């Protein structure tokens, strides 16, 4: 009985880890890292529901690249910019602070080259 319980727990844990890895890779979730500060001395790493335009690794110090303005000769239609939901409403899991994730959020994204 104990072997079956342990096997079930291992299988369930593997399935949950696979789901979170898959969801981060496909863009459903994002990893948000809050470094230690005076207000939060331990810091934290959050798995959050990803908003449109949000990077895979994010932090309060993340600076998004400037948006390129494309001028066309006619009237352009685009999607309306929706306000982002606060982190506390999007947080799925709170983990301890992970330095690697924070450093990853500070990396400058590579320049996107248009496909010709």
């Amino acid at each position: 009985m104990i072997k079956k319980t342990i096997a079930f727990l291992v299988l369930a844990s593997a399935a949950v880890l696979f789901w979170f890895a898959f969801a981060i890779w496909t863009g459903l979730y994002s990893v948000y890292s809050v470094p230690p500060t005076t207000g939060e001395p331990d810091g934290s790493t959050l798995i959050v529901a990803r908003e449109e335009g949000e990077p895979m690794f994010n932090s309060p110090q993340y600076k998004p690249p400037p948006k390129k303005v494309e001028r066309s000769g006619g009237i352009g239609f685009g999607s309306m910019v929706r306000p982002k939901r606060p982190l506390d409403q999007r947080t799925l899991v709170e983990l301890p602070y992970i330095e690697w994730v924070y450093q990853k959020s500070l990396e400058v994204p590579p320049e996107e080259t248009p496909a010709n």
Side-chain angles (χ1 to χ4, degrees):
M1 180 67 179
I2 292 178
K3 283 186 178 183
K4 288 183 181 181
T5 305
I6 291 173
F8 174 74
L9 290 175
V10 168
L11 185 62
S13 298
V16 168
L17 286 175
F18 174 77
W19 168 252
F20 276 102
F22 177 76
I24 290 170
W25 178 64
T26 59
L28 295 173
Y29 299 157
S30 178
V31 183
Y32 194 92
S33 183
V34 180
T37 60
T38 55
E40 190 174 345
D42 293 333
S44 63
T45 299
L46 309 171
I47 306 294
V48 299
R50 197 174 194 177
E51 293 282 331
E52 185 177 340
E54 187 174 21
M56 183 183 299
F57 295 100
N58 203 352
S59 70
Q61 286 74 24
Y62 171 76
K63 303 238 184 313
K67 292 189 177 191
K68 295 178 183 175
V69 179
E70 294 182 17
R71 294 283 181 183
S72 62
I75 297 174
F77 296 98
S79 62
M80 292 181 54
V81 177
R82 292 182 285 175
K84 292 185 178 181
R85 293 181 296 159
L87 277 177
D88 60 344
Q89 291 179 2
R90 299 186 295 141
T91 301
L92 302 168
V93 177
E94 184 172 350
L95 303 169
Y97 174 69
I98 302 169
E99 177 70 24
W100 175 82
V101 173
Y102 177 67
Q103 293 302 325
K104 191 78 172 160
S105 74
L106 297 179
E107 290 179 4
V108 178
E111 291 286 326
E112 291 185 16
T113 57
N116 291 337

